[in-house]
Amino acid sequence: MIKKEKDNRPDQKTSPFIGLLLFCISILLLVITGPLGFIYGILHSLFTKGFSGIGEFLLKIAISIDQLGNVMMQHLLNQLWIKKEGYRFGNRDETISSVLGKNKQNATLTGFGKAIDKILDIIDPNHSLNSIDYYVEPNH
């Protein structure tokens, strides 16, 4: 297992052009190689770990998509789901559910945020509280 030391430095400033270029390249790579990697991953998981391996593989993908949503929808979620003093969405290392859980603990969810949390609780009891990641690198 590889352990990475975190130094809690803020993300480096990047020029808008570099950000746009890397965004376009990442979308292009996802569209071109994503389907092949997905099919290979499903088959590899199936033949090495059986059906439980497929579940693990799909869970990893779901968590990654959730982290993407936390970044992509940060401004909207910060506006609609939490109060101004709440723990903010947008950290690329954290899931939406983790942020929702932290705000539930701190009683900083708006009415809409509480409704979303209740829906998640119907599907998976205490989902947001169980999803809290206490080891997330701070987002400055």
Side-chain angles (χ1 to χ4, degrees):
M1 177 181 195
I2 298 174
K3 292 198 175 199
K4 178 182 167 187
E5 290 292 324
K6 294 186 178 187
D7 55 10
N8 296 330
R9 288 182 298 164
D11 293 339
Q12 294 180 6
K13 296 287 183 190
T14 305
S15 77
F17 175 74
I18 296 297
L20 178 63
L21 181 64
L22 291 175
F23 173 76
C24 291
I25 291 170
S26 69
I27 295 296
L28 187 64
L29 284 173
L30 177 65
V31 169
I32 293 171
T33 63
L36 178 63
F38 180 75
I39 292 168
Y40 184 85
I42 291 288
L43 293 173
H44 181 269
S45 299
L46 177 64
F47 290 116
T48 58
K49 295 183 179 179
F51 286 110
S52 66
I54 293 175
E56 290 174 15
F57 179 65
L58 294 175
L59 180 61
K60 286 180 183 180
I61 293 172
I63 290 169
S64 295
I65 292 169
D66 199 343
Q67 289 172 318
L68 173 63
N70 186 25
V71 172
M72 190 175 274
M73 299 186 306
Q74 65 183 302
H75 304 293
L76 181 64
L77 298 180
N78 285 331
Q79 187 72 35
L80 297 177
W81 289 8
I82 60 172
K83 297 175 183 174
K84 287 202 182 286
E85 68 275 10
Y87 180 81
R88 312 300 282 174
F89 289 91
N91 188 324
R92 66 183 178 198
D93 293 328
E94 192 165 22
T95 64
I96 293 171
S97 297
S98 175
V99 177
L100 197 61
K102 289 176 181 178
N103 282 293
K104 183 176 184 175
Q105 272 187 334
N106 296 333
T108 51
L109 290 175
T110 63
F112 191 32
K114 290 175 186 175
I116 296 297
D117 185 62
K118 285 182 183 184
I119 292 168
L120 289 172
D121 280 346
I122 292 168
I123 298 167
D124 178 26
N126 292 317
H127 176 79
S128 64
L129 294 176
N130 292 335
S131 298
I132 294 175
D133 187 349
Y134 295 99
Y135 304 101
V136 174
E137 184 175 335
N139 193 20
H140 298 284

